[in-house]
Amino acid sequence: MDGQSEQQSKQLETVVLQIGEAVLATTEVVDRLAAQMDILTAQVQQQGYQIFALSDAVQTLAENHDSALARMTQLTEVLNRLITTIEEPGSSG
């Protein structure tokens, strides 16, 4: 080998080494990114479960509210009839 081809060979070797290092670094970054994506996916899934549980609790609360409101309406009607009966002329009292 003459001096020029030896120099080109060394330069080529340096370029190939740099490419290899860049590929390894990129692979490590992609691996870390994939791990972070897995964590993020798990968190989003957990939040989905929490939102579902919260909406279920809100629905139950709304149903309980409707039931309590119906009972209050019945109680109001009974009290109104009682007051009407008490205030009727000729009633004992």
Side-chain angles (χ1 to χ4, degrees), residues 27-43:
T27 301
E28 290 174 6
V29 168
V30 168
D31 285 347
R32 284 196 300 262
L33 180 60
Q36 291 297 320
M37 288 298 293
D38 287 345
I39 292 169
L40 182 60
T41 299
Q43 289 173 343

Side-chain angles (χ1 to χ4, degrees), residues 1-11:
M1 260 192 197
D2 65 355
Q4 185 177 1
S5 65
E6 189 174 324
Q7 184 180 2
Q8 287 177 341
S9 177
K10 287 186 186 238
Q11 287 176 343

